[in-house]
Amino acid sequence: MGGSSPLLLLLLLLLPVAFFLLFLPLAHSKTVKRDVKALNEIKASLGWRVVYSWVGDDPCGDGDLPPWSGVTCSQQGDYRVVTELEVYAVSIVGPFPTAVTNLLDLTRLDLHNNKLTGPIPPQIGRLKHVKILNLRWNKLQDVLPPEIGELKKLTHLYLSFNNFKGEIPVELANLPELRYLYLHENRFTGKIPPELGNLKHLRHLDVGNNHLTGTLRDFVRSGDGFPSLRNLYLNNNHLSGGLPDQLANLTNLEILHLSYNKMIGAVTPKLVQIPRLTYLYLDHNLFTGRIPEGLYKHPFLKEMYIEGNQFKPSAKPKGTHKVLELADTDFLF
């Protein structure tokens, strides 16, 4: 470097110092006190078997200590905030930890496959940034708080396999980004809110295995309701009435699961107009008459279950009758 100027040598010497000073604030930034307090409250309530790996006082890590298992943090200005909390399949026992609702920057909350009991607290509405809320496979109960409708960024809501009761809150229709709604295997009663049809991005709706009543005509309005719906699970409820012609408006529908209800009447030929209908479950209802010939010729329809009805002898099922796996076992994001 005999030809190098003194200025260039000085810049080369100062570069490591500048690099260190640039990242010094990140290295020494602290987690916002609100989140530290909330996670330590949760830690105290969960017990040692759940949080044996939660070492230290700072959930985002401190010095040589790593972040707590299942806790994801992000930089926000001069501080770190907790953005994801995933503590699942570790046998958490007891009520829903209300301190979670103080983690105001959460985008993902996953407490599935535990033993949580009691209701979801109304404070859940404070989590304005949460996109994914997964509480399935617990023992949660009582009615759903209407404050869930305040989670405007929610895209995935998993509440299946619990003991929720009462009516499905109409406030769920206030979630403009909702894409996947899993409410099956609970104790919901009453009618399905037709306002859910206003959810422009809803792709998957599963309310099977509840105690729901009403008719499809009440639920599927004419017009442009449910424009993105692909999978509709209404099986194992107490739905009555017939198959309305309005079902043809669900032009993106691929799965229609109506097994084990109390539905009556003839199968509308309008079902043939659903272009990508692939799985049709009509079995174990009180349907009568014939199966529209167009369903046997439908280019996409692979499976059609009709057993346990009062169809004419000429009515035959379609497909190999493979068991359709519940999509709740797959995370679609």
Side-chain angles (χ1 to χ4, degrees):
M1 297 179 64
S4 301
S5 67
L7 180 59
L8 179 59
L9 290 173
L10 180 62
L11 289 173
L12 291 173
L13 290 172
L14 290 178
L15 188 60
V17 177
F19 183 84
F20 173 78
L21 292 175
L22 178 63
F23 288 95
L24 184 62
L26 296 180
H28 292 274
S29 61
K30 292 293 184 181
T31 306
V32 65
K33 291 182 179 179
R34 175 202 66 209
D35 290 4
V36 173
K37 180 181 178 182
L39 262 299
N40 276 284
E41 287 182 18
I42 297 168
K43 178 180 179 180
S45 69
L46 296 187
W48 67 271
R49 285 190 298 177
V50 176
V51 295
Y52 65 91
S53 61
W54 287 10
V55 180
D57 295 325
D58 193 331
C60 297
D62 190 10
D64 295 332
L65 295 176
W68 292 0
S69 176
V71 176
T72 301
C73 302
S74 300
Q75 194 73 30
Q76 191 175 93
D78 295 332
Y79 291 91
R80 296 176 298 186
V81 296
V82 177
T83 52
E84 296 184 11
L85 179 61
E86 301 175 84
V87 186
Y88 53 84
V90 287
S91 298
I92 299 176
V93 178
F96 182 95
T98 305
V100 165
T101 63
N102 293 325
L103 300 171
L104 302 184
D105 293 288
L106 275 186
T107 61
R108 179 184 186 127
L109 175 59
D110 189 345
L111 301 176
H112 85 271
N113 199 12
N114 284 295
K115 298 178 181 180
L116 294 173
T117 57
I120 297 176
Q123 295 93 319
I124 196 74
R126 302 180 66 203
L127 302 179
K128 305 297 185 185
H129 298 286
V130 72
K131 296 181 179 180
I132 299 167
L133 177 59
N134 189 353
L135 301 175
R136 65 190 176 117
W137 286 106
N138 277 286
K139 298 180 179 181
L140 294 165
Q141 55 201 59
D142 213 338
V143 299
L144 291 185
E147 287 80 4
I148 285 185
E150 299 174 13
L151 309 179
K152 301 299 185 184
K153 295 185 179 180
L154 201 63
T155 60
H156 297 68
L157 180 57
Y158 298 87
L159 299 177
S160 49
F161 297 98
N162 279 286
N163 294 311
F164 293 117
K165 65 179 183 179
E167 295 189 355
I168 297 172
V170 68
E171 286 81 4
L172 292 178
N174 297 333
L175 303 174
E177 301 300 322
L178 194 62
R179 286 161 169 76
Y180 299 93
L181 177 57
Y182 295 86
L183 301 177
H184 58 283
E185 293 283 354
N186 280 286
R187 299 177 182 178
F188 289 114
T189 55
K191 297 182 178 181
I192 306 167
E195 290 84 356
L196 295 179
N198 298 329
L199 297 173
K200 301 300 183 184
H201 301 292
L202 188 64
R203 300 177 186 175
H204 185 104
L205 174 59
D206 191 343
V207 295
N209 289 88
N210 281 286
H211 306 292
L212 298 169
T213 56
T215 69
L216 280 184
R217 190 177 299 277
D218 297 331
F219 171 54
V220 183
R221 294 174 173 173
S222 59
D224 58 353
F226 298 100
S228 301
L229 194 63
R230 298 177 184 175
N231 307 323
L232 178 58
Y233 291 80
L234 304 174
N235 54 291
N236 296 80
N237 280 289
H238 305 299
L239 300 180
S240 57
L243 292 171
D245 292 346
Q246 291 95 319
L247 286 171
N249 295 323
L250 305 181
T251 55
N252 286 303
L253 198 64
E254 298 175 6
I255 299 173
L256 179 58
H257 203 333
L258 302 174
S259 304
Y260 290 95
N261 277 286
K262 300 177 180 179
M263 302 187 67
I264 62 173
V267 176
T268 172
K270 292 286 187 178
L271 290 181
V272 180
Q273 298 178 17
I274 304 177
R276 295 186 177 273
L277 185 62
T278 308
Y279 296 95
L280 177 60
Y281 292 79
L282 303 175
D283 56 290
H284 298 93
N285 280 279
L286 300 171
F287 292 120
T288 56
R290 304 178 184 275
I291 301 294
E293 186 64 26
L295 287 175
Y296 294 106
K297 300 177 181 179
H298 195 291
F300 277 84
L301 190 61
K302 295 179 179 178
E303 300 284 341
M304 180 172 61
Y305 287 67
I306 64 171
E307 296 79 4
N309 285 286
Q310 300 173 14
F311 289 120
K312 291 185 177 298
S314 59
K316 303 295 181 183
K318 181 178 181 180
T320 57
H321 282 39
K322 295 180 179 179
V323 176
L324 182 65
E325 296 293 336
L326 285 177
D328 188 50
T329 58
D330 300 320
F331 284 89
L332 305 174
F333 52 87

